[in-house]
Amino acid sequence: MRKKTVLIVVLGILVLVTALYVRESRVIGEITGAEWDVLTIGETEYRQINGLDFTIADKGKYLGKAKFNESTVRLYSVKGDIEDKYIYAFWDWEGFFYVLNE
C-alpha cells in the first residue's frame, strides 16, 4: 500500500512539473524594432506606449512569451482592461506596456 501511494504522489508531481514547463515555454508572439516598438501576436500588432495610468501592480494573467532575438519576454494581461486592448511585457527588471494597433 505504501509503495502505491508513493508512486501516485511521484506521478502527480511529474505531471504538475510537466504542465508548468509546457505553460512557461509557450511562445505566442514576437517583438521587433530597435526599441522593442512592436509586439506581434498572430496577426495582431501592438505598439509600445508610455504614460499610461497602469503600473506593474496592474499585471494580470500570464499569457505566454514573446521572442526578441535570443531573449524572451513574459506577457501578461492588464487588470482593469475590459477591452483586452493592452498587454504588459516583462523582461528581466523592466516592464513595457503595449496597446492594440488599430
Side-chain angles (χ1 to χ4, degrees):
M1 184 70 168
R2 183 168 163 81
K3 287 181 182 180
K4 193 175 194 179
T5 303
V6 169
L7 180 63
I8 290 172
V9 169
V10 168
L11 286 175
I13 290 172
L14 183 61
V15 167
L16 180 63
V17 167
T18 303
L20 288 173
Y21 174 76
V22 167
R23 177 180 173 252
E24 290 296 316
S25 63
R26 181 177 57 157
V27 176
I28 63 169
E30 180 182 18
I31 295 178
T32 56
E35 298 293 323
W36 297 30
D37 300 342
V38 179
L39 167 65
T40 306
I41 300 175
E43 299 290 321
T44 308
E45 280 193 357
Y46 297 82
R47 62 181 166 78
Q48 194 177 131
I49 189 167
N50 297 315
L52 294 175
D53 290 335
F54 297 121
T55 67
I56 191 171
D58 297 309
K59 179 175 75 171
K61 293 186 331 183
Y62 176 72
L63 302 173
K65 292 184 177 179
K67 286 275 192 189
F68 179 77
N69 294 333
E70 298 299 316
S71 300
T72 56
V73 178
R74 297 171 59 84
L75 302 175
Y76 297 89
S77 64
V78 176
K79 292 179 190 172
D81 174 27
I82 55 175
E83 298 174 2
D84 293 329
K85 192 173 168 180
Y86 300 99
I87 290 184
Y88 180 69
F90 190 71
W91 175 74
D92 208 10
W93 68 90
E94 293 183 82
F96 311 98
F97 285 94
Y98 289 88
V99 64
L100 185 61
N101 197 9
E102 299 176 310

